[in-house]
Amino acid sequence: HRLYPEHHATVDLAQSVGAGVEVSAGFRRLEFARQADVFVAGVNKHTGRWVAGARLLYLPDRTDPAAHTYQVSLRRAFAKERVVSMHYSHGLPDEEVRDVNDFEVVSGDTVIGAASLPLRRLVLTVRAGHSRQERFGTELRQNIFAAALGFRF
């Protein structure tokens, strides 16, 4: 039982269809002890400095509520790479499936806010939120806080 997949393949196709609308479709294959396939469809609408998005993830090998995960997001860009965003997910807990723990979620709701602030050659990114997850008979509530400091070359 591996935490991370031995192999991970991702294919995404995106197309602008006009009026600030972009559609996308994708596929992920994660090779754990058993392979897991994830199909992804999304749409983004750009209006000025705002981007609103929606994604649907479908896991064909699952029959629980997380087999159909939907995500919505809203992002606002300001001058010089300052960005704030809000993200809501129902089903799987985060924006991407990363490890075997994500597949243990039967149902869940996650709300995350994030902000990026450039500081000369550094970029400070802060994420905070809350998640409620059902994991095969138990419920997990989790407060989320993360901060990262990046360096721009």
Side-chain angles (χ1 to χ4, degrees):
H1 181 93
R2 291 185 297 258
L3 178 62
Y4 295 102
E6 186 172 330
H7 299 96
H8 179 175
T10 299
V11 175
D12 283 307
L13 299 172
Q15 177 66 48
S16 174
V17 294
V21 177
E22 174 187 274
V23 296
S24 63
F27 173 77
R28 285 108 175 91
R29 172 161 288 164
L30 294 93
E31 296 283 343
F32 296 104
R34 278 186 10 164
Q35 82 179 23
D37 294 334
V38 181
F39 294 91
V40 181
V43 61
N44 289 318
K45 170 66 175 158
H46 300 258
T47 302
R49 295 178 181 248
W50 291 91
V51 179
R55 288 189 350 152
L56 174 65
L57 284 75
Y58 173 62
L59 289 78
D61 295 334
R62 296 193 49 170
T63 58
D64 55 59
H68 298 87
T69 294
Y70 63 85
Q71 303 168 339
V72 293
S73 62
L74 183 63
R75 187 174 68 221
R76 167 74 158 87
F78 297 91
K80 296 192 180 186
E81 300 177 31
R82 290 184 178 102
V83 177
V84 295
S85 62
M86 289 296 295
H87 174 83
Y88 171 74
S89 178
H90 177 76
L92 294 176
D94 208 344
E95 298 172 13
E96 282 291 335
V97 175
R98 291 187 180 88
D99 60 48
V100 74
N101 290 324
D102 291 337
F103 286 102
E104 292 182 6
V105 174
V106 176
S107 181
D109 296 287
T110 302
V111 176
I112 295 178
S116 292
L117 177 65
L119 306 167
R120 296 186 188 200
R121 295 190 65 94
L122 302 174
V123 178
L124 174 64
T125 302
V126 177
R127 294 180 58 177
H130 181 77
S131 178
R132 180 204 56 82
Q133 302 169 13
E134 293 177 35
R135 292 177 175 258
F136 299 112
T138 62
E139 184 174 277
L140 171 67
R141 292 186 178 268
Q142 181 178 20
N143 293 317
I144 302 158
F145 182 80
L149 191 60
F151 183 79
R152 293 184 298 179
F153 291 96

